[in-house]
Amino acid sequence: IIVAERLVKTYGTGAAAVHALDHATLSIAAGRFTAVMGPSGSGKSTMMHVMAGLDSVDSGTVRLGGVELTELSERERTVLRRRKVGFVFQSFNLVPSLTAAENIELPLRLAGKRADSAWVDELVTTLGIQERLSHRPNELSGGQQQRVAVARALASRPEVVFADEPTGALDSRAGRALLAFLQRASREFGQTIVMVTHDPVAAGFADRVEFLADGQVVDGFDHPTA
Amino acid sequence: IIVAERLVKTYGTGAAAVHALDHATLSIAAGRFTAVMGPSGSGKSTMMHVMAGLDSVDSGTVRLGGVELTELSERERTVLRRRKVGFVFQSFNLVPSLTAAENIELPLRLAGKRADSAWVDELVTTLGIQERLSHRPNELSGGQQQRVAVARALASRPEVVFADEPTGALDSRAGRALLAFLQRASREFGQTIVMVTHDPVAAGFADRVEFLADGQVVDGFDHPTA
Ligand SMILES: Nc1ncnc2c1ncn2[C@@H]1O[C@H](COP(=O)(O)OP(=O)(O)OP(=O)(O)O)[C@@H](O)[C@H]1O
Ligand SMILES: Nc1ncnc2c1ncn2[C@@H]1O[C@H](COP(=O)(O)OP(=O)(O)OP(=O)(O)O)[C@@H](O)[C@H]1O
Ligand SMILES: [Mg+2]
Ligand SMILES: [Mg+2]
């Protein structure tokens, strides 16, 4: 479903240049749950943003569901993303003026889709945030905000969900509940998931792990167990 | 150095009231490294904010270095905090328009202190951010921003450092380097540290662990090992 080849993204020029991606190549199979690991600053978030159509590259190609993203305009990428992609940002990026419930419904409204209220109810209950839907992000703890961000990405059942360290702010019990839910969404509903994580236990829930270092995909293997 | 007794903090009223702190009592000894653990939403961040003089309470008392915080005005609490406290926020809270180096020096400038450049150099090198000091927060990865936030809290060698999940965005290698550094600061320089964490490995670096649940301190023990 996603094929990224020889992606290059560099910030700055000359001696101070930072090579966020340095000819990174990665394929994600449809319906699979793939974890992406690597040291801080190795290019994981950059890779996710590029594969989700949120960021451009200097060179290389990215095909999402057969569509070449690098040939689309910013506007075309946004339309495609709204229809096909759910994203859990590393910094949550919730809209401060909206309640938790409104944040969760926002991608649906932007894509012109109706919410499947039975699915959203199941999401909210599994994530343990059903009593806080009327609160705004600044009235929620770090972990509660993260769970709202996850519900938002999954609510519209997009073709691909990208999650950038979705359990970073959660205790191990809440983290495992979330990971088990992602695994179920992948195994039972065929949801394609790409998850960045630093936690080997989280990677153990995935079907495959890819390793990034210095902007390159250096390793990968199937069926990781913690 | 910190004595908090029967702290109560409630948001909202009636049926929708949320009891962030529910008669929580906690003492932190000077020069010790204390970890605070507990489920998401149990009141850890709220407790830290109150003990650091960043937030008020409905009832209860908090003494920081012998000074009763609940009797001070907002302004007096700010002056005391600038002189005695360093804080690593769960959401980093870096100033977007300043470079990493300027963010690190900000608390020193606000407190009217001069930087000890040998100490700041050691901090920046240990945390692995020496090559990124001229970049602004939005040019850094999540883990790099977190390390800048930690350097900022430690730069002025405050009496007490509060760190709210300081390794949440770091890979295990960078996380361990940071934790070993905090442990050294405590053991060799007598730095008092209070660290919220979900990670049992991180708690293993502390001298003592306290457990929060539903706004109360329910347990605690010395010399945790992972
Ligand atoms: N402004 C607010 N209005 C309403 N409730 C709030 C507000 N701020 C915090 N809370 C609630 O107080 C409780 C404690 O929050 P706190 O941020 O201290 O939790 P935490 O233990 O740090 O959780 P996490 O591990 O998720 O960061 C939570 O249920 C949170 O939703
Ligand atoms: N706007 C920018 N200007 C300069 N450098 C940047 C910019 N954005 C990202 N970078 C750099 O690109 C590299 C890759 O960043 P990225 O955010 O992808 O890392 P990451 O693997 O997600 O790290 P973490 O685990 O800390 O979140 C980092 O060195 C980062 O500092
Ligand atoms: Mg990242
Ligand atoms: Mg918190």
Side-chain angles (χ1 to χ4, degrees):
Chain A
I1 194 170
I2 302 173
V3 181
E5 289 177 340
R6 299 181 59 72
L7 295 179
V8 174
K9 188 160 182 84
T10 303
Y11 294 99
T13 51
V18 175
H19 303 288
L21 295 176
D22 184 11
H23 302 88
T25 293
L26 180 62
S27 289
I28 306 283
R32 296 281 292 271
F33 184 176
T34 304
V36 175
M37 300 185 85
S40 171
S42 57
K44 301 182 298 296
S45 293
T46 306
M47 188 80 176
M48 300 272 277
H49 285 246
V50 168
M51 291 196 303
L54 283 161
D55 229 345
S56 60
V57 278
D58 306 332
S59 68
T61 59
V62 183
R63 276 201 307 288
L64 176 63
V67 177
E68 177 55 49
L69 294 186
T70 53
E71 288 165 12
L72 299 184
S73 69
E74 171 97 35
R75 174 91 209 109
E76 289 167 325
R77 280 204 320 253
T78 300
V79 170
L80 183 78
R81 198 172 59 245
R82 291 219 171 118
R83 285 210 333 272
K84 289 183 179 286
V85 168
F87 206 100
V88 181
F89 293 92
Q90 191 168 0
S91 52
F92 314 150
N93 284 9
L94 298 176
V95 179
S97 56
L98 299 181
T99 66
E102 290 165 347
N103 265 290
I104 291 169
E105 281 165 22
L106 188 60
L108 284 156
R109 280 172 37 201
L110 290 175
K113 292 183 192 173
R114 290 187 55 72
D116 169 351
S117 50
W119 169 247
V120 174
D121 282 352
E122 186 179 352
L123 266 180
V124 156
T125 308
T126 304
L127 295 170
I129 51 174
Q130 65 277 26
E131 284 168 15
R132 307 306 300 274
L133 293 177
S134 62
H135 286 91
R136 288 179 215 299
N138 73 339
E139 297 177 332
L140 300 174
S141 78
Q144 289 163 344
Q145 289 181 43
Q146 188 161 53
R147 283 178 276 165
V148 171
V150 171
R152 177 178 67 173
L154 289 168
S156 59
R157 292 182 187 268
E159 273 184 44
V160 184
V161 170
F162 294 93
D164 199 343
E165 309 202 34
T167 61
L170 298 183
D171 59 279
S172 46
R173 203 170 46 70
R176 273 172 210 280
L178 171 58
L179 291 164
F181 186 76
L182 289 178
Q183 192 181 50
R184 221 183 90 213
S186 172
R187 296 206 173 147
E188 285 179 28
F189 307 118
Q191 177 72 63
T192 307
I193 298 173
V194 183
M195 171 179 75
V196 167
T197 183
H198 287 306
D199 180 3
V201 170
F205 282 82
D207 301 321
R208 180 171 177 79
V209 183
E210 303 278 358
F211 290 89
L212 244 75
D214 300 321
Q216 297 184 319
V217 180
V218 293
D219 202 355
F221 54 89
D222 283 331
H223 306 306
T225 45
Chain B
I1 191 170
I2 302 171
V3 180
E5 289 178 343
R6 299 180 58 73
L7 296 179
V8 174
K9 191 164 180 81
T10 304
Y11 294 101
T13 51
V18 175
H19 303 288
L21 295 176
D22 184 11
H23 301 89
T25 293
L26 180 62
S27 290
I28 305 283
R32 292 275 289 251
F33 183 177
T34 304
V36 175
M37 300 185 84
S40 171
S42 57
K44 301 182 299 295
S45 293
T46 306
M47 187 79 175
M48 301 270 277
H49 285 250
V50 168
M51 291 197 304
L54 282 160
D55 230 345
S56 60
V57 279
D58 306 331
S59 68
T61 60
V62 183
R63 277 201 307 289
L64 177 65
V67 177
E68 177 55 50
L69 295 185
T70 52
E71 288 166 11
L72 299 184
S73 71
E74 175 93 35
R75 173 89 210 114
E76 289 167 326
R77 279 205 321 251
T78 299
V79 170
L80 182 79
R81 199 171 61 244
R82 292 227 169 111
R83 284 209 335 269
K84 289 184 178 288
V85 168
F87 205 100
V88 181
F89 293 91
Q90 191 168 0
S91 52
F92 313 151
N93 284 11
L94 297 176
V95 178
S97 55
L98 300 182
T99 65
E102 289 165 348
N103 265 289
I104 291 169
E105 283 164 25
L106 189 60
L108 284 157
R109 280 172 34 200
L110 289 175
K113 293 183 191 172
R114 286 187 56 71
D116 169 352
S117 50
W119 168 247
V120 174
D121 282 353
E122 185 179 351
L123 266 180
V124 156
T125 308
T126 305
L127 295 170
I129 51 174
Q130 64 277 29
E131 284 169 13
R132 307 305 301 270
L133 293 177
S134 62
H135 285 91
R136 287 178 217 301
N138 73 338
E139 297 176 332
L140 300 174
S141 78
Q144 290 163 345
Q145 289 180 43
Q146 187 161 54
R147 283 178 276 164
V148 170
V150 170
R152 176 179 68 175
L154 290 169
S156 59
R157 291 180 186 270
E159 273 184 44
V160 184
V161 169
F162 294 92
D164 199 343
E165 310 202 30
T167 60
L170 298 182
D171 57 279
S172 48
R173 202 172 44 71
R176 272 170 213 280
L178 171 59
L179 292 164
F181 186 75
L182 289 179
Q183 192 181 51
R184 220 184 90 213
S186 173
R187 296 202 173 151
E188 285 180 29
F189 307 118
Q191 177 73 65
T192 307
I193 298 172
V194 184
M195 171 180 76
V196 166
T197 183
H198 288 308
D199 179 2
V201 170
F205 283 82
D207 302 320
R208 180 171 177 79
V209 182
E210 303 278 357
F211 289 89
L212 245 75
D214 300 322
Q216 298 185 322
V217 179
V218 293
D219 202 356
F221 54 88
D222 284 334
H223 306 303
T225 44

